[in-house]
Amino acid sequence: MTETRPRPVLAGKKALVIGIANEDSIAYGCAKAFRELEAELALTYLNEKARPHVAPLAESLGAKLFMPLDVSQPGQLEAVFERVTRDWGKLDILVHSIAFAPKADLQGGLLDCSAEGFAKAMDVSCHSFVRMARLAAPLMKDGGTMFAMSYVGANRVVPTYNVMGPVKAALEACCRYLAYELGPRKIRVHPISPGPLKTRAASGLKDFDVLLTAAAKRAPVGELVDIMDVGFTCAYLATPYARRLTGDTVYVDGGVSIMA
């Protein structure tokens, strides 16, 4: 008698992952984890300069859709969801893993942050997730899961995090309110707070190596997390095994966040 193995829990699910810059990106870890559980992928790249770095990763993951997306450019976000609607007609998983602030505003203190820099950081890093949720929700006809990437600097002072602290705090608050508004539609929303990771975005933070060293020393597990730790956490949260979880910030940091 031939034994029939159960299909992976995300088989047939459609996942849109936004924010892959290279193989060190948190978004890549998420996409890879979803693919291991046999979800179908739609991936984006920032612009033509970024495409050569992302295209091989999309190909290796067998991404069904591969599209440009700069959320600060009018119409591009809508074009991505129009393509998803046309080709898939549905969506089950959305990952928002993008953040930006002008270098001068990011590396200076909050008192010195310009109004323009603050607005740009808030638009790209926070409000774009609200815009994505608005476009994704109608496609999540049978429910779904949305993720946005945060950091512990959203609710505790990390001296070098500067303007991104208030911006990520706003992002986590948006996730909670979206979880409330979308809950009746069986759509769950999770702010994910990874520990420090060597990503391209993080390299823009002043003294980031110091943060990495401190996190490794303070983590109860004795080491830093990696992008696959974040990816597999999101994959779990996207499955029916986490069907009653929504809204709360999920820390993927080896326990650093529990330490005084």
Side-chain angles (χ1 to χ4, degrees):
M1 182 176 178
T2 303
E3 182 180 353
T4 301
R5 298 181 61 187
R7 298 182 71 195
V9 287
L10 295 183
K13 299 296 184 181
K14 314 292 189 185
L16 171 59
V17 180
I18 293 167
I20 297 179
N22 54 40
E23 62 184 5
D24 296 321
S25 298
I26 291 173
Y28 177 61
C30 292
K32 192 172 181 181
F34 297 153
R35 190 70 194 117
E36 285 194 22
L37 296 179
E38 296 191 4
E40 294 183 21
L41 297 175
L43 306 179
T44 68
Y45 58 94
L46 178 61
N47 51 34
E48 286 305 309
K49 183 178 179 181
R51 181 171 182 154
H53 302 284
V54 186
L57 302 177
E59 184 176 356
S60 71
L61 293 173
K64 300 293 185 181
L65 305 177
F66 186 56
M67 303 159 284
L69 177 59
D70 179 344
V71 296
S72 66
Q73 296 301 310
Q76 286 199 13
L77 184 59
E78 290 76 11
V80 165
F81 280 90
E82 286 170 5
R83 176 79 183 279
V84 171
T85 301
R86 183 171 67 251
D87 287 27
W88 282 350
K90 63 171 291 189
L91 190 66
D92 301 289
I93 301 167
L94 170 68
V95 174
H96 174 285
S97 186
I98 57 175
F100 175 80
K103 187 174 181 179
D105 296 295
L106 179 63
Q107 295 194 343
L110 186 59
L111 283 174
D112 297 320
C113 182
S114 67
E116 295 79 11
F118 192 95
K120 183 73 171 180
M122 189 67 77
D123 181 61
V124 173
S125 312
C126 178
H127 191 254
S128 64
F129 179 60
V130 179
R131 301 200 305 273
M132 287 179 198
R134 184 185 304 122
L135 293 167
L139 292 169
M140 293 184 168
K141 302 170 185 177
D142 301 315
T145 318
M146 300 180 182
F147 300 97
M149 296 301 151
S150 186
Y151 180 59
V152 70
N155 50 64
R156 299 182 186 178
V157 174
V158 176
T160 57
Y161 207 47
N162 302 324
V163 65
M164 291 309 298
V167 169
K168 292 293 188 179
L171 178 64
E172 290 191 10
C174 286
C175 288
R176 290 190 291 271
Y177 278 84
L178 288 172
Y180 166 73
E181 291 185 20
L182 295 172
R185 297 160 74 169
K186 300 188 184 304
I187 297 172
R188 296 177 290 113
V189 185
H190 293 285
I192 306 296
S193 186
L197 289 161
K198 291 183 178 179
T199 64
R200 190 176 75 174
S203 66
L205 296 174
K206 185 179 179 181
D207 298 327
F208 185 68
D209 287 343
V210 176
L211 284 178
L212 288 172
T213 302
K217 288 181 178 178
R218 296 179 66 235
V221 300
E223 57 187 357
L224 296 170
V225 298
D226 59 36
I227 60 171
M228 293 311 300
D229 295 319
V230 182
F232 284 127
T233 298
C234 291
Y236 157 69
L237 290 169
T239 70
Y241 300 128
R243 63 185 181 177
R244 297 292 185 264
L245 303 182
T246 192
D248 282 334
T249 300
V250 178
Y251 291 92
V252 187
D253 63 359
V256 173
S257 59
I258 71 171
M259 302 301 292

